Amino acid sequence: FSDDFATAKQFLSDHAVAQWKPLETVSAYSGSTEPQVSVAANGSFMVTSGQVGVLNSLGVFTPAPEGSTYTGEFSLATNSTGQWRIVGLPHGILLPLSRLMQNFAVSSLAFLSRDRSRFVPELRWYPRSSQADSLVSGLLAGPSDWLAKGASSLIPRNAERAGRGVVVEGGTATVHLSADSDPASEDARGLMVAQIEQSLIQISGIDHVRVLAGTVDLGAAARGGALHEALLRLVGHVGQARSLTCEDLLAHQPIVG
């Protein structure tokens, strides 16, 4: 994770590097039993292990049914210099559950209730190395289908990250969005900024948030009344999530909110 899989890619062929999506899925095993490697009849290598859950590309972790098994097939061939390289492999990676929790942070996306009076949180797991950008991307994509009927968002559907994405300097996170991300009305701007702010201040080192739609500063987050009370509930909810253990992670079906 620290080198964006650069070390792992050294063992892949150029074609495999171009095709492989390491974070498409993260399969987790308990860690008590190491994965087993065997040779298939066609000469490929099969990696198998118990599977306790799967984290998808949206950051949603789903515990696997008891007794589930991970199976991955890997094909090798020599390159032009006679060195062995992996030429075929499944998307994603396989990690012990403890490593998943070290490298991914549980985060709460701040959506709004239908009456826009309180926050509706949805838990996601994002790589610690890109947590801020992932949170913004999660907000732009909107709530999961299961939550959509009870939650809304003031972020325009055509909003996109722009420029450098999220830049953190001196405790302030500046969020760069496309020019058409501006919801236009002052009230909508305040609630949109509030969603982004409450999602990002979970990250250590971020105390303030500034949102730009193109070159337009969308101003301060909405405050007061029911929204402030909702903020307190949201912060408490996320505080509890930060102390989750491996057992807590597997006790929910699925852990998304």
Side-chain angles (χ1 to χ4, degrees):
F1 286 92
S2 60
D3 62 359
D4 194 28
F5 301 100
T7 300
K9 291 176 181 178
Q10 292 177 6
F11 298 92
L12 307 181
S13 67
D14 292 342
H15 177 75
V17 168
Q19 297 295 317
W20 184 46
K21 299 177 181 179
L23 295 180
E24 184 76 10
T25 61
V26 180
S27 297
Y29 63 95
S30 67
S32 59
T33 303
E34 290 296 315
Q36 302 298 306
V37 180
S38 60
V39 181
N42 63 1
S44 63
F45 291 85
M46 305 298 295
V47 176
T48 59
S49 76
Q51 187 176 59
V52 296
V54 177
L55 180 67
N56 69 16
S57 60
L58 298 178
V60 178
F61 182 89
T62 303
E66 186 174 355
S68 294
T69 301
Y70 166 88
T71 301
E73 182 176 0
F74 297 78
S75 301
L76 282 75
T78 54
N79 61 16
S80 58
T81 61
Q83 296 179 318
W84 287 97
R85 291 290 183 267
I86 298 172
V87 296
L89 74 167
H91 290 309
I93 56 177
L94 176 66
L95 289 178
L97 185 59
S98 58
R99 286 283 305 279
L100 184 151
M101 298 187 71
Q102 290 171 8
N103 289 285
F104 289 78
V106 62
S107 309
S108 186
L109 296 175
F111 296 111
L112 298 169
S113 60
R114 286 295 180 180
D115 63 3
R116 302 177 184 176
S117 65
R118 59 188 178 86
F119 291 118
V120 178
E122 180 179 354
L123 294 189
R124 300 287 181 92
W125 291 79
Y126 292 129
R128 295 183 186 277
S129 59
S130 59
Q131 188 180 4
D133 282 308
S134 296
L135 278 165
V136 172
S137 294
L139 284 173
L140 297 184
S144 295
D145 291 342
W146 68 269
L147 184 62
K149 291 183 179 180
S152 63
S153 176
L154 266 293
I155 300 174
R157 291 181 180 274
N158 55 349
E160 297 179 345
R161 283 171 44 208
R164 294 183 292 168
V166 181
V167 179
V168 181
E169 295 178 341
T172 297
T174 301
V175 181
H176 297 269
L177 301 177
S178 56
D180 54 1
S181 301
D182 186 351
S185 78
E186 184 175 349
D187 287 344
R189 283 180 175 180
L191 288 170
M192 172 179 167
V193 174
Q195 285 184 249
I196 296 173
E197 180 182 82
Q198 300 317 316
S199 297
L200 290 179
I201 62 171
Q202 303 166 69
I203 301 174
S204 177
I206 295 180
D207 303 308
H208 305 284
V209 173
R210 181 184 181 211
V211 181
L212 299 177
T215 59
V216 177
D217 190 326
L218 299 188
R223 304 287 184 190
L227 191 58
H228 178 68
E229 293 176 3
L231 166 60
L232 297 179
R233 290 194 295 271
L234 179 61
V235 171
H237 184 68
V238 172
Q240 293 175 8
R242 281 179 171 165
S243 62
L244 285 174
T245 64
C246 292
E247 290 74 18
D248 295 328
L249 180 60
L250 297 175
H252 299 79
Q253 298 276 348
I255 297 185
V256 290

